[in-house]
Amino acid sequence: MALSEVRIRNLAVIDSATLQVEPGFTVISGETGAGKSLSIEGLRLALGERPRQDVIRPGADRAIVAAVFTDLPDAAAALLQDHGIPVEDDLLEVMRELKSDGRSTFRCNGATVTRAFVRELADLLVDITAQGASMRLHDPLWQLSVVDAAGGEELQKVLDAYREAHVRYLELMNAYRALSRLAESSETEKEEAASHIAYLEPLGLEVGEEERLQDERSRTAHAAARRQALETLHSALAGSHDVSGALQDILAARRELQKVEAVDPAIAELALRIDGAVTELGDCASEAVRYADTIEADPARLEWMEERIHTLQRVAARYGSVELALNVLQRSHALLDDSAVTPQELDQARLRLMEQGRAAAAAALQLHDIRAHHATVLQKQLEAELHSLDLPHASVIIEVAFRLPKEWEDGGELDLDASGADDVLMRLSTNPTMPPLPLGEGPSGGELSRFALAVRSCVSHVSDASCIVLDEVDTGIGGATAIRVGAALRSISQERQVIAVTHRAEIASYATSHVLVEKVQDSDHVHSVISHLHGEDRVEEVARMLSGAVTASARTRAQELLADGARAHS
């Protein structure tokens, strides 16, 4: 996965700009105040960060930021699919429109989404560390994942064993709770269930019965009228004892046609049509007689149907419908059938739960012990790495607190989750006179960036994000340290895309691509312009970063740095 593009419009001093990002290690440089961190801010905003008040360019009523990703990781693609968001050619555009009234609209590939969804998606795409805007470092679950990654296969095996015990514990807990609910069913509930059964069971209810009876009742109530209509039809067609019917008259006319049909084809055609009509009318007359003979008035059946319909309507009024009444009947049977939980069954379920609870607690404690050991090793590694990154007084503490009491009281519910019973908190201090503080409270943005870099150097595969973004990674460091930082970032970029905002030429020289942000003064306003540097343009920018002005000596040193950076990973 790679971030390929960041588009910005009307964001602070940026009128309209596009940052195209290559795989590998990209640096963003520019003079102070040029707006180089705005490209990172635009990415953060697109991925759901809360905006500052003056984020929209003066004179504009809205700002638009967008980030384009390619080669999406499986987890991100699955999340998009689950939410019905179309993905074509493995490409994702996350866009945000910020309005001056404070409202925002998020879209993923054109589909409107929520900020919460974008934040969830962002965790799978990019890892940003910037002043006050770390998307992961402050997260206790991320800190826990760092410790687990540091533990490697040894810790993973213990974690897998714990998770098996935890899943079994949850299964037994759910089974015990279900039995307890059944055993605790009140006598009132049981009496009510018995009452429903006594009332509904004898009725023999069926879904759709009332509709069928309504149809039959209507036909039965009109039996005499239906029979009379059929007899009238038969008389009209076939006649009675002393009156000829329509069929006799038509047959007489047909005989007259027969005399002349041989000499007139049109009359012959009419004769054929008359023959068909006579046959059809004869069938109708016969059917009318047969059907009329089947119709009988049945007062007793009619009375029964009236009473049955009334009963069904009372049931519907009481329960909402016959179908709902049948559901109540089914639940009532289930309650009375299943509520006969014996005390022995409940005790056995509780004993099984307690036994598995002890097993899960023991597995959680074993997991805690190995985590605490690797946390101690990791904090020493991080301190050594931070010292090499020009934080000589850095002190790291990784607390791994176990939530469970050493002895679990039988019958109590364990405070366990899928990761165990540990709460991890990372603390950092870079001042020898100050105690280590949580990452979200004490360290500056530059210190957090170097802490994130140290974590990446000490622990591989910390997160699923394939893009790492660092702002202020070079704050307060000298040239030798900057070279080590640049080399570390170039090394990380062999496996993950790295983007860093920097003032240091030494760091920039290790990048595989270089982006410059410049402030341009027009007649009516100031805006920032983003450009990609190559060849001599890059040499000049590195030279400017070295001395503030492009001198001959600065150019020579810039060429040396760029050559060293190219050789470092050639």
Side-chain angles (χ1 to χ4, degrees), residues 347-398:
D347 286 342
Q348 289 174 0
R350 183 171 179 272
L351 288 174
R352 288 193 295 269
L353 174 63
M354 290 163 50
E355 181 180 358
Q356 187 59 35
R358 285 189 288 268
L365 182 58
Q366 182 182 7
L367 178 61
H368 166 77
D369 290 340
I370 193 171
R371 271 187 180 140
H373 167 71
H374 284 286
T376 301
V377 173
L378 177 60
Q379 68 185 27
K380 294 178 181 178
Q381 293 174 336
L382 289 173
E383 285 180 350
E385 191 68 25
L386 289 169
H387 294 165
S388 73
L389 296 176
D390 209 18
L391 293 175
H393 303 294
S395 174
V396 177
I397 293 178
I398 303 177

Side-chain angles (χ1 to χ4, degrees), residues 331-342:
R331 290 197 302 269
S332 298
H333 275 300
L335 176 63
L336 294 183
D337 291 343
D338 296 339
S339 62
V341 178
T342 65

Side-chain angles (χ1 to χ4, degrees), residues 14-163:
I14 295 181
D15 186 1
S16 179
T18 298
L19 170 64
Q20 293 179 334
V21 188
E22 301 293 333
F25 175 25
T26 298
V27 294
I28 302 173
S29 69
E31 295 182 354
T32 300
K36 54 186 174 295
S37 290
L38 285 176
S39 56
I40 305 302
E41 184 175 6
L43 175 62
R44 286 165 35 204
L45 291 172
L47 297 179
E49 284 289 314
R50 295 193 181 278
R52 50 189 171 86
Q53 280 190 335
D54 56 347
V55 70
I56 298 178
R57 181 178 177 81
D61 62 351
R62 67 192 64 201
I64 296 176
V65 289
V68 179
F69 298 88
T70 59
D71 300 324
L72 300 179
D74 292 341
L79 181 62
L80 292 166
Q81 183 178 10
D82 290 344
H83 286 74
I85 298 173
V87 177
E88 294 183 4
D89 300 326
D90 216 14
L91 189 73
L92 170 66
E93 180 191 61
V94 183
M95 190 273 287
R96 181 181 189 177
E97 181 182 40
L98 302 102
K99 298 180 181 179
S100 56
D101 60 5
R103 293 180 298 168
S104 289
T105 301
F106 291 90
R107 290 185 175 86
C108 287
N109 284 351
T112 302
V113 294
T114 64
R115 176 177 176 269
F117 173 78
V118 171
R119 295 282 287 177
E120 182 181 0
L121 184 63
D123 284 340
L124 304 173
L125 299 174
V126 63
D127 188 350
I128 300 177
T129 302
Q131 179 67 41
S134 172
M135 298 180 72
R136 294 179 186 270
L137 293 181
H138 306 165
D139 184 359
L141 293 179
W142 181 86
Q143 296 179 11
L144 176 66
S145 72
V146 171
V147 174
D148 286 354
E153 292 184 5
E154 178 189 13
L155 192 148
Q156 187 62 48
K157 289 179 180 178
V158 178
L159 178 59
D160 290 342
Y162 160 76
R163 283 175 173 166

Side-chain angles (χ1 to χ4, degrees), residues 341-545:
V341 178
T342 65
Q344 292 79 9
E345 289 176 322
L346 194 60
D347 286 342
Q348 289 174 0
R350 183 171 179 272
L351 288 174
R352 288 193 295 269
L353 174 63
M354 290 163 50
E355 181 180 358
Q356 187 59 35
R358 285 189 288 268
L365 182 58
Q366 182 182 7
L367 178 61
H368 166 77
D369 290 340
I370 193 171
R371 271 187 180 140
H373 167 71
H374 284 286
T376 301
V377 173
L378 177 60
Q379 68 185 27
K380 294 178 181 178
Q381 293 174 336
L382 289 173
E383 285 180 350
E385 191 68 25
L386 289 169
H387 294 165
S388 73
L389 296 176
D390 209 18
L391 293 175
H393 303 294
S395 174
V396 177
I397 293 178
I398 303 177
E399 300 174 356
V400 183
F402 191 60
R403 295 193 298 268
L404 298 184
K406 294 298 181 181
E407 295 182 359
W408 174 53
E409 296 181 2
D410 291 346
E413 184 174 347
L414 293 173
D415 185 10
L416 299 173
D417 55 35
S419 62
D422 292 324
D423 294 320
V424 172
L425 178 64
M426 292 184 174
R427 298 176 180 269
L428 172 65
S429 173
T430 59
N431 188 328
T433 64
M434 297 294 292
L437 296 175
L439 298 183
E441 297 179 12
S444 67
E447 291 166 346
L448 283 177
S449 290
R450 271 178 276 177
F451 183 85
L453 179 58
V455 169
R456 296 288 178 181
S457 298
C458 295
V459 183
S460 61
H461 306 298
V462 174
S463 70
D464 295 329
S466 298
C467 177
I468 302 168
V469 180
L470 299 168
D471 195 4
E472 301 186 24
V473 71
D474 55 7
T475 302
I477 65 175
T481 302
I483 289 176
R484 289 194 292 273
V485 170
L489 292 174
R490 179 69 174 262
S491 178
I492 294 171
S493 73
Q494 302 303 308
E495 295 184 355
R496 298 170 186 263
Q497 186 182 34
V498 177
I499 302 169
V501 175
T502 185
H503 297 271
R504 300 294 314 196
E506 295 86 355
I507 294 176
S509 66
Y510 277 85
T512 55
S513 62
H514 194 145
V515 175
L516 174 65
V517 181
E518 297 177 284
K519 183 165 58 176
V520 177
Q521 174 73 58
D522 288 342
S523 59
D524 56 345
H525 68 285
V526 177
H527 63 278
S528 295
V529 176
I530 296 175
S531 57
H532 294 261
L533 302 181
H534 304 280
E536 286 301 312
D537 290 337
R538 187 178 182 192
V539 173
E540 290 200 4
E541 172 60 10
V542 173
R544 183 202 62 77
M545 296 172 74

